[in-house]
Amino acid sequence: MATTSCWFLVFVWVVWGLPLTLAGAEEQQGEGCSTSAKTCGNLTITHPFWIADREAGRSCGPLDFQVGCSNDSIPFLRSSGFTGYTGFAIMDISYKDRNLRVVDVRKEEDFNVSNSRCNFPSWNTSSKLALPFKVNPANLNLIFYKCTKRVALVEVRCVNTSNVFVRAGVRFDEMRNYVDYALEGCDAIVVPVMGSSDGANASHFEQLISDGFLLTWDPPPTSKFTGQSSFNQVRS
Ligand SMILES: *[C@@H]1O[C@H](CO)[C@@H](O)[C@H](O)[C@H]1NC(C)=O
Ligand SMILES: *[C@@H]1O[C@H](CO)[C@@H](O)[C@H](O)[C@H]1NC(C)=O
Ligand SMILES: *[C@@H]1O[C@H](CO)[C@@H](O)[C@H](O)[C@H]1NC(C)=O
Ligand SMILES: *[C@@H]1O[C@H](CO)[C@@H](O)[C@H](O)[C@H]1NC(C)=O
Ligand SMILES: *[C@@H]1O[C@H](CO)[C@@H](O)[C@H](O)[C@H]1NC(C)=O
Ligand SMILES: *[C@@H]1O[C@H](CO)[C@@H](O)[C@H](O)[C@H]1NC(C)=O
């Protein structure tokens, strides 16, 4: 019986929900906003993310989810103030898992040892993030140290700085409490990286930063009955 009513709901959604959804989306996004997915580089950008129409230049969705497309090839989070040297570039989006893989391009720059701008940054990656985006707990962390003397960790040989070191494989802490990893006489910066086995090798810090890390997003508030959320309700 439960199964039958469940399938009935699916039927109702398919037959009635779809046209309603399209009408709702148009209404919500305003005239002139296309509801179809767009691409930037290899990535398909679709709800809740959106790319502004070049001509219209108007808001077509929640501002936090606006995506820019640098050089027609690199998608980035507009809300992160991306300039090419700062902000968050997007490498991948999993709409099903509400995850996106991003690169903190400023950290990539700051810890690029072949770069003359290599230096010890003054911000933790997480402090540049705002809701609805959160660091996914599955990431591991790199911790970079700027010390007054040498310590027994992998050294980061920046041109104009000395005594910079890095540790890898530090588990995510919801409260950002990394006191166990504090070193006397050192400033610390925490950078999340993908939680692969390689995420534990500090020697690969440049590659790890370039590979990015996972952010999770909270669904944008919606008062409307959308096809996506009703579908999830029926299935669960
Ligand atoms: C994009 O496509 C190119 C060519 O198919 C591939 O080499 C590259 O890895 C892809 N990038 C991403 C982020 O999937
Ligand atoms: C922009 O894209 C063009 C064509 O794909 C490429 O040749 C050029 O290197 C890119 N520039 C940057 C800064 O990525
Ligand atoms: C690091 O800097 C060098 C020299 O400026 C540049 O060629 C290289 O692309 C940079 N690497 C990354 C990952 O940004
Ligand atoms: C690095 O040090 C050299 C020599 O002291 C100096 O000329 C250069 O401007 C410095 N670069 C940065 C980015 O601070
Ligand atoms: C970065 O985070 C670590 C760990 O939470 C903290 O000890 C450190 O003071 C932070 N650094 C800055 C510049 O906020
Ligand atoms: C970490 O990477 C370095 C350089 O690639 C390698 O020599 C070392 O064996 C690796 N360490 C571990 C524990 O895998």
Side-chain angles (χ1 to χ4, degrees):
M1 186 59 208
T3 315
T4 313
S5 62
C6 186
W7 282 111
F8 176 71
L9 280 175
V10 170
F11 175 79
V12 167
W13 175 75
V14 168
V15 173
W16 296 110
L18 214 48
L20 275 179
T21 301
L22 295 180
E26 267 162 29
E27 198 183 303
Q28 188 176 6
Q29 300 190 332
E31 279 168 40
C33 288
S34 115
T35 51
S36 57
K38 296 199 172 144
T39 58
C40 176
N42 303 2
L43 267 194
T44 301
I45 307 299
T46 185
H47 181 81
F49 295 92
W50 56 282
I51 295 182
D53 283 325
R54 208 161 289 180
E55 327 76 63
R58 76 180 78 219
S59 175
C60 291
L63 281 182
D64 289 327
F65 291 91
Q66 186 178 2
V67 170
C69 191
S70 176
N71 197 26
D72 285 331
S73 58
I74 306 164
F76 62 90
L77 284 176
R78 262 243 130 86
S79 54
S80 72
F82 182 91
T83 63
Y85 297 106
T86 60
F88 294 101
I90 306 171
M91 299 180 80
D92 211 351
I93 301 179
S94 170
Y95 292 95
K96 184 169 70 67
D97 299 329
R98 276 195 276 115
N99 277 335
L100 68 164
R101 186 154 57 93
V102 297
V103 178
D104 181 343
V105 293
R106 184 57 187 269
K107 295 289 186 287
E108 198 175 36
E109 183 93 351
D110 285 343
F111 291 119
N112 181 344
V113 294
S114 12
N115 194 324
S116 59
R117 287 182 290 266
C118 180
N119 77 102
F120 194 76
S122 46
W123 297 99
N124 284 313
T125 295
S126 63
S127 65
K128 289 192 288 182
L129 288 168
L131 291 171
F133 300 107
K134 283 186 277 197
V135 175
N136 187 305
N139 294 288
L140 293 177
N141 288 302
L142 298 173
I143 302 185
F144 290 90
Y145 298 94
K146 169 114 184 72
C147 305
T148 49
K149 57 178 171 47
R150 299 192 61 81
V151 298
L153 290 171
V154 170
E155 187 171 9
V156 178
R157 297 177 190 278
C158 274
V159 224
N160 283 10
T161 39
S162 51
N163 292 337
V164 175
F165 303 91
V166 57
R167 170 205 304 280
V170 176
R171 296 231 159 267
F172 175 83
D173 186 292
E174 186 81 52
M175 305 311 292
R176 299 183 193 173
N177 182 357
Y178 297 102
V179 282
D180 289 353
Y181 299 95
L183 293 178
E184 210 183 316
C186 305
D187 292 335
I189 285 291
V190 180
V191 181
V193 297
M194 296 290 284
S196 62
S197 56
D198 202 42
N201 192 329
S203 304
H204 302 163
F205 65 90
E206 285 183 272
Q207 188 60 49
L208 288 168
I209 293 175
S210 295
D211 288 345
F213 65 97
L214 286 183
L215 284 183
T216 302
W217 74 82
D218 289 331
T222 156
S223 52
K224 307 257 178 202
F225 180 83
T226 69
Q228 187 60 46
S229 60
S230 62
F231 185 62
N232 287 340
Q233 277 160 23
V234 168
R235 268 207 308 199
S236 56

